[in-house]
Amino acid sequence: MGLPKTENSDYDVTELSRKYEELQLRVTRFSVTEQELIHARDRLDRELMVYRRMQQFNSRALEEMKNEAFAKLVTESLIDIFEVELAFVLIESDNASITTVADVEGFTIPVGARAKLHKYICDQFSNRQEVEVICFVPDQQDAIREVFSFSSVIFTCVKEKEAGLTISLLGGVSSEKRFFYEPVSHDREAAFSVFSQQVLAQQTNRAKTQTIKEHFNALSVEQHRLSGIAETFLGFTADPDSNIQRIVDLASRLLNGATAVYEKRDAPFLVTAGFWGDATLANKAEGKDCCYTLFGSGSRETLHLPQLKPEMIKLRPSWLSGFEGSTFLGSRVAFDNEVIGTLAFFLPAREQMPDSLLQLIRILSAAIAVEERRKNAVLALRDSEEKYRMIFEGSPNGIIVADTETFQFRYVNIAIHNMFGYTEQEMLNMSVPQIHPADVHDLVMHAINDMIAGKAMYANEIPCLRKNGSVFYADVHSNVISLGGEKLIAGFFTDVTQRRNDRQALLEGNSELKKINAELDNFVYSVSHDLRSPLLAIQGLVRLIQTTQPFQPETLAYFNMVTTSVNRMDDTIKEILEYSRNARLDIKKLPIDFAGMIQQVFDDVKHIYPDPILMELEVNCMGPFYSDPNRVETLFKNIIGNSVKYQRRGAEPSYLKITVGCAGSFATIRFEDNGEGIGEEHLNRIFDMFYRASNTSVGTGLGLYICREIVNNLDGSIEVQSVPGKGSVFTVQLRNLK
Amino acid sequence: MRKFMLIDDDEIFNFLNQRILELSGTAGKIQVFTAARKALNWLSDNLANDEEWPEIILLDIRMPGMDGFEFLEQFRLFPDAKIKGVKVFMLTSSIDERDKNKSAAYPFVYGYYSKPMSPEILREMDEMPLKEF
């Protein structure tokens, strides 16, 4: 720009002055334009700054953060972007009921005022759909002044119906600080609207993410639980008690470390886990049925008490008192309709208890019931095992249980080790043939096969081979048993070597005795023969002498006396022989011909007394009767002999009536005579050895003794009835020995 | 008149029996042996001697050396014709039933008598008819 030259005089001052003014005007105009340009640039700069900050907010808001942090970010961004003194945001969610408020550091809107403020803001927009942002300077009467003394304020309320979100946003300057801040101007409204939409979008997004995350978390918790359950159940051992402990541990874990207590009924027995509440619970387990009594008399399976009150636990002063105020959650443990205990949880006070949790502890208590049942079964099994082990091991009999196909030994007891001298381990590697001598293998295998087939139950005196090679004898009783689906044979061995030896010795002794008996018998015969020979010679000679010449009657009487004495001695010898024979000889069982035998005996003995005697015989026996003929004959000879010898000299002729009757397995032989008879004082002694009833008798005192001995040997009896001077009746009863 | 053979180790019985036979008047020739062996030898030597072959033999059982039963065992080996004409009677002081039963098994043994012999026994023996066997 050039000014007119001053040395040129022909310049018109007026013209110059006018030009200057014009120039001045133009400069001013230019300057205004320039100012306007600067303003415009500044405004653009600020707009840019606003959007850049909004951009910043957007990117920061995408980061994961809690609602409180987000709200704080919103307020900080709001202050930053809109250059206000303070900001307020309130996010309300329909379903989550989350109210989040943030304001400026060092400055707090009172809690009670927040809801009021939020309501005020949202009310402004409830019926003014066209307006998005309100910006104004509230006067003294404005309702907003009740919350806070704003000098100027800008606010909005945005909603997202689908997400159920309502967000109120406010920025403002207080009356105190109005000099330091530009008042909030309308030109901010557009940006504020954009910002509020962004906050809403961010929050909607965050809510959705949150929901997804919650679902995901729920899933992972569920998975965690399931894996915990699986781990616990997979880790089960044979010991039910340790499994119960595992279940209780698991229960505590699933309830986030709540104290879990398994209390068994009627027993001061607690299984505990978890650490919430009284950690020394296990040491205080003096109470019984504490949790059980909380259930009362009802039959409910589960019980939820949101808060344990003192009156609930005062009836049972026990470890329960350590949980006063906590939430109680219990499930009864039952099997076979009988409650055997309680699984209970104590956890921080909590009103709501989801059904799924109740379901879970019901399952856990069922698992405990299963373990308890198994424990009973295990104990019962152990009991019966113990019982059988005691019988098996304590038996004095040796017991071997062997395979029925390989004959390999499966079980052996202690007694059998002692019997055979092998150790248990040695025996378990052996089989049947190894414990018997080789020469009886066929016999043993035959016997054992019969046993397995059920054809025999025992085998007697089986030779058995000890480890040291010696042999003993055993009676073996067998039993085929089924163990675990396998057919086995149990053999019960009794060592009978001693019995066998004893019997062997007895048999040998017996045969020795028999030999001695036979020798003795021969001896008795020989002696009797040798004794009788000279007697019979005397007898014969006396008779011969009598025939040689006539003697004086007196001499003849002497000869008779000699003969009588000789006969008596001969009788004695014969009777001793009979006695010996009865005592010593075996009983021969042969059919008895009573009629023939009695007739023969009578014919033999009737000569021994000079006077005649009449014998009547009646036999009523059908079928054969068995006894020992020699003994019966001796018996009859003695009784009939007595009737012949002791006849009564009287008017009536002597008689002997013999009747034989058979009934059942007995024969009764009755001998009735009319002889001298026997005095009552003698009756109970006549069967005694060497007892003689009469001084005049020619008897030896052995005859009836032998009779009694014979009937004893033949399983019979002999009785007598007699009246002196009338006669005697002897009744013999004999058993049919067939 | 019967021909008798008496076999007994006891000479008194031999004497006694001989006297009873003599007194009875039924006896013809009477041969007496105190040992069964000697009696058997005589019989063997005289198988052809029908004149002296005995009709009745009185035999004791218990004797030293050959006893009565051993004699019977040898006697039964003689020809049937020689045996059938002889009645053997056991005459013994034994009262052993077994002896009686044992002797009854021989068909040529006609009786079993307890000593001493008497005229009544002799008459029974004499009157007993010969058996067919």
Side-chain angles (χ1 to χ4, degrees), chain A residues 521-522 525-526 528-529 532-533 536-537 539-541 543-544 547 574 577 581 630 633, chain B residues 12-13 15-16 19-20 23 60 62 92-98 114-118:
Chain A
D521 205 39
N522 276 336
Y525 275 111
S526 297
S528 73
H529 175 266
R532 287 190 78 214
S533 282
L536 299 175
Q539 203 179 48
L541 287 169
R543 271 189 219 154
L544 186 62
T547 61
K574 280 197 270 189
L577 189 68
R581 204 155 55 170
N630 287 338
E633 195 182 322
Chain B
I12 293 177
F13 278 111
F15 166 76
L16 195 61
R19 280 300 293 147
I20 291 170
L23 289 171
D60 190 18
R62 299 200 177 207
T92 176
S93 52
S94 165
I95 47 169
D96 191 338
E97 288 292 322
R98 289 173 293 185
S114 182
K115 288 175 181 177
M117 200 178 66
S118 63

Short mmCIF file of all heavy atoms in Angstrom, two decimals, chain A residues 521-522 525-526 528-529 532-533 536-537 539-541 543-544 547 574 577 581 630 633, chain B residues 12-13 15-16 19-20 23 60 62 92-98 114-118:
data_model
loop_
_atom_site.label_atom_id
_atom_site.label_comp_id
_atom_site.label_asym_id
_atom_site.label_seq_id
_atom_site.Cartn_x
_atom_site.Cartn_y
_atom_site.Cartn_z
N ASP A 521 -9.80 -173.47 75.79
CA ASP A 521 -10.91 -174.39 75.57
C ASP A 521 -10.37 -175.82 75.42
O ASP A 521 -10.86 -176.75 76.06
CB ASP A 521 -11.64 -173.96 74.30
CG ASP A 521 -13.07 -174.43 74.30
OD1 ASP A 521 -13.69 -174.37 75.39
OD2 ASP A 521 -13.57 -174.84 73.24
N ASN A 522 -9.35 -175.93 74.56
CA ASN A 522 -8.75 -177.25 74.37
C ASN A 522 -8.20 -177.79 75.67
O ASN A 522 -8.33 -178.97 75.98
CB ASN A 522 -7.60 -177.16 73.34
CG ASN A 522 -8.15 -177.25 71.93
OD1 ASN A 522 -9.23 -177.80 71.72
ND2 ASN A 522 -7.42 -176.69 70.99
N TYR A 525 -10.95 -179.07 77.79
CA TYR A 525 -11.42 -180.37 77.31
C TYR A 525 -10.44 -181.47 77.69
O TYR A 525 -10.84 -182.53 78.16
CB TYR A 525 -11.61 -180.34 75.78
CG TYR A 525 -12.97 -179.81 75.43
CD1 TYR A 525 -13.16 -178.60 74.81
CD2 TYR A 525 -14.11 -180.58 75.76
CE1 TYR A 525 -14.42 -178.12 74.51
CE2 TYR A 525 -15.36 -180.11 75.46
CZ TYR A 525 -15.52 -178.89 74.84
OH TYR A 525 -16.77 -178.43 74.55
N SER A 526 -9.17 -181.15 77.46
CA SER A 526 -8.16 -182.17 77.76
C SER A 526 -8.18 -182.51 79.24
O SER A 526 -8.18 -183.69 79.61
CB SER A 526 -6.76 -181.66 77.38
OG SER A 526 -6.72 -181.43 76.00
N SER A 528 -10.64 -182.07 81.34
CA SER A 528 -11.86 -182.79 81.71
C SER A 528 -11.77 -184.25 81.26
O SER A 528 -12.16 -185.16 81.99
CB SER A 528 -13.08 -182.10 81.11
OG SER A 528 -13.13 -182.31 79.73
N HIS A 529 -11.22 -184.44 80.07
CA HIS A 529 -11.06 -185.80 79.56
C HIS A 529 -10.15 -186.62 80.48
O HIS A 529 -10.48 -187.73 80.89
CB HIS A 529 -10.48 -185.74 78.14
CG HIS A 529 -10.16 -187.07 77.55
ND1 HIS A 529 -8.89 -187.62 77.63
CD2 HIS A 529 -10.92 -187.97 76.88
CE1 HIS A 529 -8.90 -188.80 77.04
NE2 HIS A 529 -10.14 -189.02 76.57
N ARG A 532 -11.78 -187.24 83.78
CA ARG A 532 -12.92 -188.16 83.75
C ARG A 532 -12.46 -189.61 83.55
O ARG A 532 -13.07 -190.52 84.11
CB ARG A 532 -13.89 -187.77 82.63
CG ARG A 532 -14.68 -186.52 82.93
CD ARG A 532 -15.77 -186.35 81.90
NE ARG A 532 -16.89 -187.23 82.15
CZ ARG A 532 -17.63 -187.78 81.19
NH1 ARG A 532 -17.32 -187.59 79.94
NH2 ARG A 532 -18.65 -188.55 81.50
N SER A 533 -11.43 -189.79 82.74
CA SER A 533 -11.02 -191.15 82.39
C SER A 533 -10.87 -192.05 83.63
O SER A 533 -11.51 -193.10 83.68
CB SER A 533 -9.72 -191.13 81.60
OG SER A 533 -10.00 -190.77 80.28
N LEU A 536 -14.26 -192.73 85.20
CA LEU A 536 -15.10 -193.66 84.45
C LEU A 536 -14.57 -195.09 84.57
O LEU A 536 -15.36 -196.04 84.59
CB LEU A 536 -15.16 -193.22 82.99
CG LEU A 536 -15.75 -191.81 82.79
CD1 LEU A 536 -15.66 -191.38 81.32
CD2 LEU A 536 -17.20 -191.76 83.27
N ALA A 537 -13.24 -195.19 84.70
CA ALA A 537 -12.65 -196.51 84.91
C ALA A 537 -13.15 -197.10 86.23
O ALA A 537 -13.56 -198.26 86.30
CB ALA A 537 -11.14 -196.42 84.89
N GLN A 539 -15.87 -196.29 87.79
CA GLN A 539 -17.29 -196.60 87.62
C GLN A 539 -17.47 -197.98 86.95
O GLN A 539 -18.24 -198.83 87.42
CB GLN A 539 -17.91 -195.51 86.75
CG GLN A 539 -19.40 -195.36 86.92
CD GLN A 539 -19.91 -194.23 86.03
OE1 GLN A 539 -19.59 -194.19 84.84
NE2 GLN A 539 -20.68 -193.33 86.60
N GLY A 540 -16.75 -198.15 85.85
CA GLY A 540 -16.84 -199.42 85.12
C GLY A 540 -16.39 -200.61 85.96
O GLY A 540 -17.03 -201.66 85.98
N LEU A 541 -15.27 -200.39 86.69
CA LEU A 541 -14.72 -201.47 87.50
C LEU A 541 -15.69 -201.85 88.62
O LEU A 541 -15.89 -203.04 88.90
CB LEU A 541 -13.37 -201.07 88.08
CG LEU A 541 -12.22 -201.03 87.05
CD1 LEU A 541 -10.98 -200.38 87.64
CD2 LEU A 541 -11.90 -202.44 86.59
N ARG A 543 -18.91 -201.56 88.64
CA ARG A 543 -19.99 -202.36 88.05
C ARG A 543 -19.54 -203.79 87.77
O ARG A 543 -20.26 -204.74 88.00
CB ARG A 543 -20.46 -201.72 86.74
CG ARG A 543 -21.55 -200.71 86.99
CD ARG A 543 -22.10 -200.27 85.64
NE ARG A 543 -22.40 -198.84 85.65
CZ ARG A 543 -22.41 -198.07 84.57
NH1 ARG A 543 -22.11 -198.59 83.40
NH2 ARG A 543 -22.68 -196.80 84.67
N LEU A 544 -18.32 -203.90 87.26
CA LEU A 544 -17.78 -205.22 86.91
C LEU A 544 -17.67 -206.09 88.15
O LEU A 544 -18.07 -207.25 88.14
CB LEU A 544 -16.42 -205.05 86.24
CG LEU A 544 -15.78 -206.32 85.68
CD1 LEU A 544 -16.66 -206.92 84.57
CD2 LEU A 544 -14.39 -206.03 85.11
N THR A 547 -20.71 -207.75 89.31
CA THR A 547 -21.19 -208.88 88.53
C THR A 547 -20.40 -210.16 88.78
O THR A 547 -20.83 -211.24 88.39
CB THR A 547 -21.12 -208.58 87.02
OG1 THR A 547 -19.77 -208.34 86.67
CG2 THR A 547 -22.00 -207.41 86.64
N LYS A 574 -18.23 -182.03 84.34
CA LYS A 574 -19.02 -181.69 83.15
C LYS A 574 -19.57 -180.25 83.24
O LYS A 574 -19.59 -179.51 82.26
CB LYS A 574 -20.17 -182.70 82.97
CG LYS A 574 -19.71 -184.00 82.34
CD LYS A 574 -20.86 -184.79 81.80
CE LYS A 574 -21.40 -185.74 82.89
NZ LYS A 574 -22.40 -186.71 82.37
N LEU A 577 -17.01 -177.69 82.65
CA LEU A 577 -16.79 -177.63 81.21
C LEU A 577 -17.90 -176.82 80.51
O LEU A 577 -17.63 -175.98 79.64
CB LEU A 577 -16.76 -179.06 80.67
CG LEU A 577 -16.34 -179.21 79.22
CD1 LEU A 577 -14.88 -178.85 79.07
CD2 LEU A 577 -16.57 -180.64 78.73
N ARG A 581 -17.49 -173.45 78.50
CA ARG A 581 -17.92 -173.36 77.11
C ARG A 581 -18.85 -172.16 76.89
O ARG A 581 -18.75 -171.43 75.92
CB ARG A 581 -18.64 -174.67 76.73
CG ARG A 581 -18.62 -174.94 75.27
CD ARG A 581 -18.75 -176.40 75.02
NE ARG A 581 -19.95 -176.93 75.67
CZ ARG A 581 -20.42 -178.17 75.43
NH1 ARG A 581 -19.78 -178.97 74.58
NH2 ARG A 581 -21.49 -178.60 76.03
N ASN A 630 -26.14 -175.59 71.27
CA ASN A 630 -25.37 -176.19 72.36
C ASN A 630 -25.74 -175.58 73.70
O ASN A 630 -25.91 -176.27 74.69
CB ASN A 630 -23.87 -176.01 72.12
CG ASN A 630 -23.39 -176.92 71.00
OD1 ASN A 630 -24.04 -177.93 70.70
ND2 ASN A 630 -22.29 -176.54 70.39
N GLU A 633 -29.29 -176.49 74.70
CA GLU A 633 -29.33 -177.88 75.15
C GLU A 633 -28.80 -177.99 76.58
O GLU A 633 -29.40 -178.66 77.43
CB GLU A 633 -28.49 -178.76 74.22
CG GLU A 633 -28.75 -180.24 74.38
CD GLU A 633 -27.85 -181.08 73.49
OE1 GLU A 633 -27.61 -180.68 72.34
OE2 GLU A 633 -27.38 -182.13 73.96
N ILE B 12 -6.59 -200.30 81.43
CA ILE B 12 -7.67 -200.65 82.36
C ILE B 12 -8.99 -200.76 81.60
O ILE B 12 -9.77 -201.69 81.81
CB ILE B 12 -7.78 -199.62 83.50
CG1 ILE B 12 -6.52 -199.72 84.37
CG2 ILE B 12 -9.04 -199.87 84.33
CD1 ILE B 12 -6.48 -198.72 85.50
N PHE B 13 -9.23 -199.76 80.69
CA PHE B 13 -10.48 -199.81 79.92
C PHE B 13 -10.47 -201.03 79.00
O PHE B 13 -11.50 -201.67 78.82
CB PHE B 13 -10.68 -198.51 79.11
CG PHE B 13 -11.26 -197.41 79.95
CD1 PHE B 13 -10.51 -196.31 80.29
CD2 PHE B 13 -12.57 -197.52 80.40
CE1 PHE B 13 -11.05 -195.31 81.06
CE2 PHE B 13 -13.10 -196.50 81.18
CZ PHE B 13 -12.35 -195.39 81.52
N PHE B 15 -9.00 -203.81 79.54
CA PHE B 15 -9.29 -204.95 80.40
C PHE B 15 -10.78 -205.02 80.72
O PHE B 15 -11.43 -206.06 80.59
CB PHE B 15 -8.47 -204.87 81.70
CG PHE B 15 -8.93 -205.80 82.77
CD1 PHE B 15 -8.65 -207.18 82.71
CD2 PHE B 15 -9.69 -205.34 83.84
CE1 PHE B 15 -9.10 -208.04 83.71
CE2 PHE B 15 -10.16 -206.20 84.83
CZ PHE B 15 -9.86 -207.54 84.76
N LEU B 16 -11.33 -203.85 81.15
CA LEU B 16 -12.74 -203.75 81.54
C LEU B 16 -13.66 -204.18 80.39
O LEU B 16 -14.55 -205.01 80.55
CB LEU B 16 -13.02 -202.29 81.95
CG LEU B 16 -14.30 -201.99 82.71
CD1 LEU B 16 -14.30 -202.72 84.05
CD2 LEU B 16 -14.40 -200.47 82.94
N ARG B 19 -13.45 -207.80 79.58
CA ARG B 19 -14.16 -208.63 80.56
C ARG B 19 -15.66 -208.60 80.30
O ARG B 19 -16.32 -209.64 80.37
CB ARG B 19 -13.88 -208.11 81.99
CG ARG B 19 -12.54 -208.54 82.58
CD ARG B 19 -12.38 -210.04 82.69
NE ARG B 19 -13.27 -210.62 83.67
CZ ARG B 19 -13.83 -211.84 83.58
NH1 ARG B 19 -13.59 -212.58 82.53
NH2 ARG B 19 -14.62 -212.29 84.54
N ILE B 20 -16.19 -207.40 80.01
CA ILE B 20 -17.63 -207.30 79.77
C ILE B 20 -18.01 -208.11 78.54
O ILE B 20 -19.03 -208.80 78.53
CB ILE B 20 -18.05 -205.83 79.64
CG1 ILE B 20 -17.92 -205.12 81.00
CG2 ILE B 20 -19.49 -205.70 79.14
CD1 ILE B 20 -18.06 -203.61 80.94
N LEU B 23 -17.85 -211.75 79.48
CA LEU B 23 -18.97 -212.11 80.35
C LEU B 23 -20.29 -212.14 79.58
O LEU B 23 -21.18 -212.90 79.93
CB LEU B 23 -19.07 -211.12 81.52
CG LEU B 23 -17.95 -211.24 82.57
CD1 LEU B 23 -18.04 -210.07 83.55
CD2 LEU B 23 -18.08 -212.57 83.33
N ASP B 60 -11.39 -195.53 70.97
CA ASP B 60 -11.21 -194.35 71.84
C ASP B 60 -10.81 -193.17 70.94
O ASP B 60 -10.34 -193.37 69.82
CB ASP B 60 -10.13 -194.64 72.89
CG ASP B 60 -10.07 -193.55 73.95
OD1 ASP B 60 -11.07 -192.79 74.08
OD2 ASP B 60 -9.04 -193.44 74.64
N ARG B 62 -9.19 -189.86 72.21
CA ARG B 62 -7.95 -189.19 72.61
C ARG B 62 -6.91 -190.22 73.02
O ARG B 62 -7.00 -190.84 74.07
CB ARG B 62 -8.24 -188.23 73.76
CG ARG B 62 -9.24 -187.20 73.30
CD ARG B 62 -9.25 -185.98 74.15
NE ARG B 62 -10.21 -185.05 73.55
CZ ARG B 62 -10.12 -183.73 73.69
NH1 ARG B 62 -9.12 -183.22 74.40
NH2 ARG B 62 -11.01 -182.97 73.13
N THR B 92 -15.61 -193.18 74.49
CA THR B 92 -14.66 -192.16 74.93
C THR B 92 -15.08 -191.53 76.25
O THR B 92 -16.25 -191.59 76.65
CB THR B 92 -14.52 -191.07 73.85
OG1 THR B 92 -13.67 -190.05 74.32
CG2 THR B 92 -15.86 -190.48 73.49
N SER B 93 -14.13 -190.92 76.91
CA SER B 93 -14.46 -190.15 78.10
C SER B 93 -14.60 -188.65 77.75
O SER B 93 -14.79 -187.81 78.61
CB SER B 93 -13.42 -190.35 79.20
OG SER B 93 -12.14 -190.11 78.68
N SER B 94 -14.47 -188.35 76.45
CA SER B 94 -14.65 -186.95 76.02
C SER B 94 -16.14 -186.63 75.96
O SER B 94 -16.95 -187.44 75.53
CB SER B 94 -14.02 -186.75 74.64
OG SER B 94 -14.48 -185.56 74.09
N ILE B 95 -16.46 -185.42 76.45
CA ILE B 95 -17.86 -185.00 76.29
C ILE B 95 -17.91 -183.75 75.39
O ILE B 95 -18.82 -182.94 75.46
CB ILE B 95 -18.52 -184.70 77.65
CG1 ILE B 95 -17.60 -183.83 78.48
CG2 ILE B 95 -18.91 -185.97 78.34
CD1 ILE B 95 -18.25 -183.26 79.72
N ASP B 96 -16.90 -183.66 74.54
CA ASP B 96 -16.85 -182.53 73.60
C ASP B 96 -17.83 -182.78 72.47
O ASP B 96 -17.72 -183.75 71.73
CB ASP B 96 -15.40 -182.41 73.07
CG ASP B 96 -15.21 -181.11 72.32
OD1 ASP B 96 -16.20 -180.52 71.85
OD2 ASP B 96 -14.04 -180.68 72.20
N GLU B 97 -18.78 -181.86 72.35
CA GLU B 97 -19.79 -182.00 71.30
C GLU B 97 -19.15 -182.07 69.92
O GLU B 97 -19.66 -182.72 69.02
CB GLU B 97 -20.75 -180.80 71.34
CG GLU B 97 -21.71 -180.81 72.51
CD GLU B 97 -22.73 -181.95 72.42
OE1 GLU B 97 -23.19 -182.23 71.30
OE2 GLU B 97 -23.03 -182.55 73.46
N ARG B 98 -18.06 -181.36 69.78
CA ARG B 98 -17.40 -181.32 68.47
C ARG B 98 -16.93 -182.73 68.07
O ARG B 98 -17.01 -183.10 66.91
CB ARG B 98 -16.21 -180.36 68.50
CG ARG B 98 -16.65 -178.91 68.57
CD ARG B 98 -15.48 -177.99 68.77
NE ARG B 98 -14.87 -178.20 70.09
CZ ARG B 98 -13.87 -177.45 70.56
NH1 ARG B 98 -13.37 -176.46 69.84
NH2 ARG B 98 -13.37 -177.69 71.76
N SER B 114 -20.32 -192.84 75.86
CA SER B 114 -19.44 -192.39 76.93
C SER B 114 -19.00 -193.61 77.73
O SER B 114 -19.77 -194.56 77.94
CB SER B 114 -20.22 -191.42 77.83
OG SER B 114 -19.37 -190.95 78.83
N LYS B 115 -17.74 -193.59 78.13
CA LYS B 115 -17.22 -194.68 78.97
C LYS B 115 -17.91 -194.64 80.32
O LYS B 115 -18.37 -193.56 80.72
CB LYS B 115 -15.72 -194.51 79.16
CG LYS B 115 -14.90 -194.81 77.91
CD LYS B 115 -13.44 -194.49 78.21
CE LYS B 115 -12.56 -194.74 76.99
NZ LYS B 115 -11.15 -194.36 77.25
N PRO B 116 -17.98 -195.67 81.12
CA PRO B 116 -17.51 -197.00 80.74
C PRO B 116 -18.60 -197.77 79.99
O PRO B 116 -19.77 -197.43 80.09
CB PRO B 116 -17.24 -197.65 82.09
CG PRO B 116 -18.25 -197.02 82.99
CD PRO B 116 -18.47 -195.63 82.51
N MET B 117 -18.17 -198.82 79.25
CA MET B 117 -19.16 -199.63 78.56
C MET B 117 -19.89 -200.48 79.58
O MET B 117 -19.38 -200.78 80.64
CB MET B 117 -18.48 -200.51 77.53
CG MET B 117 -19.45 -200.99 76.48
SD MET B 117 -18.66 -201.99 75.22
CE MET B 117 -18.17 -203.40 76.14
N SER B 118 -21.12 -200.81 79.20
CA SER B 118 -21.92 -201.64 80.10
C SER B 118 -22.56 -202.75 79.27
O SER B 118 -22.61 -202.64 78.05
CB SER B 118 -22.99 -200.78 80.77
OG SER B 118 -23.86 -200.28 79.78
#
